[in-house]
Amino acid sequence: MVGSSDRADLRQLAGKFAHDVRNPLHTIRLNLHALRLAMQTGNPLPADELELLFAESEQEVDRIEQQIRALLDSASATTLRED
Amino acid sequence: MTTQTMILVVEDQPSEREALARMLRMAQYDVIATSSPDEALSHQEKPVELVISDLRLGDADGIDLLRRWKERRPETPFILVTAYGDVPTAVEAMKLGAADYMTKPVNPESLLQLIRKWLEKARANGHGDQESIGIPPGTSLEELERAAVERALEEHHGNRTHAAKTLGISVRTLQRKLKAWRMPMFAVAHPSSQQQPSMYVPRN
């Protein structure tokens, strides 16, 4: 049974996780839209800018994966302590 | 030669700052990208027509920037962006004169529409007009909450589940508010399309 203190911890954890995932998703979404605008306007981004956009987006995907891994590790550590 | 409209971006995270500046430049805006309130305020003398700022800027605060900017330039529309998405923060920001707020990850097309809308309003007020853009003074908390709820429902085409997520409240809380205000009860997403239950994100 989850107590009120556990629920408060869970809410805080969920809030932090949401914040840490929303930020990189924000970057990826903006970069995708920049690509869309380049396509729609026929005004391509310079090659170096494009390379930077791809590198940033990949980095943000890695950030999200790191957050997920940290959450899973934290959950495993909690389970082990309870065992 | 047409002069591009100048937008000031304030975001402490480099990748987010560059992504937003790049997207706005692709949308034909002239962009000054800054990483802190002090850096942003150093550009106050420039013909900045709109500011987009993150709510959390490391140790600093987008609301504090809003207050300081508005002391000298109350006419500049401010759009605040946040990854926390809770109603109390949004309401506080709008009481202080923010034109609008959005939750990350923003819908870029919605952001561009908001930018066009607030630029039009600011220009309709005329250059040099000191009237603040945004919510009129004396607006009640309930009216601000209602405006935030209406905005979220409009953004999500009436979908209560998605609107509740954006507002950082549960669907049940949203439904109670709609009922209390006698607003139409819009659609709820089909359970199979919901990926996670709505969770209230507490303000830190």
Side-chain angles (χ1 to χ4, degrees), chain A residues 6 10-12 17 26 29 32 38 45 53 55 60 65 68 74-76:
Chain A
D6 290 336
L10 185 58
R11 270 201 297 271
Q12 194 162 21
F17 182 73
H26 177 66
R29 204 170 192 185
L32 284 172
L45 284 161
L53 186 154
E60 298 304 88
E65 173 56 23
I68 294 170
S74 173
S76 296

Side-chain angles (χ1 to χ4, degrees), chain A residues 22-23 27 29 31 49 56, chain B residues 16 22 83-84 104-106:
Chain A
R22 279 174 168 165
N23 277 318
T27 301
R29 204 170 192 185
N31 282 342
E49 186 75 23
E56 272 173 11
Chain B
E16 292 177 50
R22 182 189 296 119
Y84 284 99
K104 293 177 186 177
V106 301

Side-chain angles (χ1 to χ4, degrees), chain A residues 17-76:
Chain A
F17 182 73
H19 169 267
D20 290 345
V21 168
R22 279 174 168 165
N23 277 318
L25 284 176
H26 177 66
T27 301
I28 294 167
R29 204 170 192 185
L30 289 168
N31 282 342
L32 284 172
H33 200 72
L35 287 172
R36 180 181 279 128
L37 288 173
M39 227 171 58
Q40 284 172 350
T41 59
N43 187 17
L45 284 161
D48 56 343
E49 186 75 23
L50 206 52
E51 185 50 48
L52 188 60
L53 186 154
F54 289 141
E56 272 173 11
S57 303
E58 281 165 351
Q59 207 171 12
E60 298 304 88
V61 170
D62 289 341
R63 252 176 93 187
I64 294 169
E65 173 56 23
Q66 270 166 24
Q67 294 304 324
I68 294 170
R69 199 165 290 165
L71 183 65
L72 289 171
D73 287 346
S74 173
S76 296

